Amino acid sequence: MGALNQLEGFGQAVWLDFVDRKFLEAGGLQKLVDEDGLTGVTSNPSIFEKAMGHGDAYDSTLAAYDKEHAGAATIDRYEHLAIQDIKAAADTLKPVYDKLDAKDGYVSLEVSPYISDDTDATIAEAQKLWGMVDRPNLMIKIPGTLAGAPAIAATIAAGINVNVTLLFSLEAYQRVAEAYAMGLEERVKQGQPIDRIASVASFFVSRIDATIDKEIDARIEKGDAEADALKAVRGKVAIANAKMAYQWYLDFLKTDRWQALAAKGAQPQRLLWASTGVKDPAYPDTLYIDTLIGKDTVNTMPPKTMDAFRDHGTAAETITADIDGAKHTLAEAERLGLDLNGVTGKLVEEGVASFVKAFDDLLGAIAKKQPATA
């Protein structure tokens, strides 16, 4: 068994953070399922922008759509393309979903980044996309913003699986974990089943280190008196932050509130490690996989990171290792004034903004691909 396959033995699911028409049609996803034990796929506006905005892989499909839907809005043309890819990926993963009895085998599709601060619009779009894809192994991605939390609860209550995205802080994660429980509780009140409702909480890691390390490097360069202490926490804050989120998750599973839901068949909302591609070449390219392996977790990997772990990754339970060290790292980061709370708040805003820009670029590229008769 390869290193990726071995992760399953430690309770971690391998997902791919990538989707592309040519990749799907060439059987690339099926190969990962067959050979590496892949059980999920995530997409986002940036991924779709790279896939659809460049090259001609989608041109024939778009031309056929335009022929039948003359004058269609750009957003409708985009959704037609995206939903075809999501359906294809969901169908490839359906046997995994069936085999694992709805515990995995999911494909994620994001609501528009334009509505990240609009609860009602997010709920409506989640229901619209759910109906358009019409696959039980779809997860609708909703950002973990303040407006996103009640939308998550309502979407879960409606029986729709949710991938909560853009989580950076423990506080934001706690809020959406409780929103998931609230949605399940509402279903129970309605007399609806909850055993086949699934959710993941996508906790971003590498972006935290990239931001904090930049601050550390700037301070060291200026001759900061705490240079040694700053060096000691460089590249460790994101992992420590993730480990403490997992500790909170373990504690939440023990609560009476969760136990009551579990008794009715509720699935835990797994923590998903996102942004796991290493941005600093000084670090091992498998850093954010090697250090975050454990039960009921998911790691969604860009293709390059997945290739690296397959080649030289080490599978071992690490998410529960050296919790005291993680606490010390976070305490030191606070003492040194690295402002993790401020950084995570800023990263949410930047994450939404980057998806908005990618969506702008994507819709702009699709708009330029006008029908031949136009």
Side-chain angles (χ1 to χ4, degrees), residues 27-110:
L29 180 59
Q30 186 65 60
K31 185 180 183 203
L32 293 176
V33 172
D34 295 340
E35 297 182 3
D36 295 314
L38 185 95
T39 57
V41 171
T42 48
S43 66
N44 62 46
S46 297
I47 289 172
F48 274 129
E49 191 276 325
K50 290 187 181 86
M52 296 178 192
H54 309 277
D56 58 4
Y58 293 83
D59 288 4
S60 60
T61 304
L62 191 58
Y65 178 79
D66 288 335
K67 192 173 181 180
E68 290 186 18
H69 304 82
T74 302
I75 188 70
D76 294 331
R77 299 165 83 211
Y78 152 72
E79 286 180 351
H80 176 71
L81 298 178
I83 284 166
Q84 282 199 335
D85 281 2
I86 295 297
K87 283 182 174 180
D91 290 344
T92 299
L93 285 163
K94 183 62 161 50
V96 175
Y97 173 84
D98 291 338
K99 179 184 174 185
L100 298 177
D101 197 26
K103 292 177 174 59
D104 213 331
Y106 289 94
V107 180
S108 298
L109 176 63
E110 190 139 0

Side-chain angles (χ1 to χ4, degrees), residues 208-217 219-220 226-241 280 283 287-288 325-340:
I208 291 175
D209 279 342
T211 302
I212 286 182
D213 288 357
K214 187 177 178 182
E215 169 70 13
I216 287 173
D217 291 346
R219 285 173 57 176
I220 290 172
E226 293 275 15
D228 289 342
L230 287 164
K231 286 177 187 174
V233 298
R234 192 180 191 281
K236 295 180 179 177
V237 175
I239 293 163
N241 191 46
D280 187 332
Y283 300 149
L287 176 67
Y288 299 113
K327 290 177 180 176
H328 175 73
T329 294
L330 294 179
E332 276 291 274
E334 184 175 358
R335 183 184 72 79
L336 292 164
L338 292 171
D339 190 19
L340 179 58

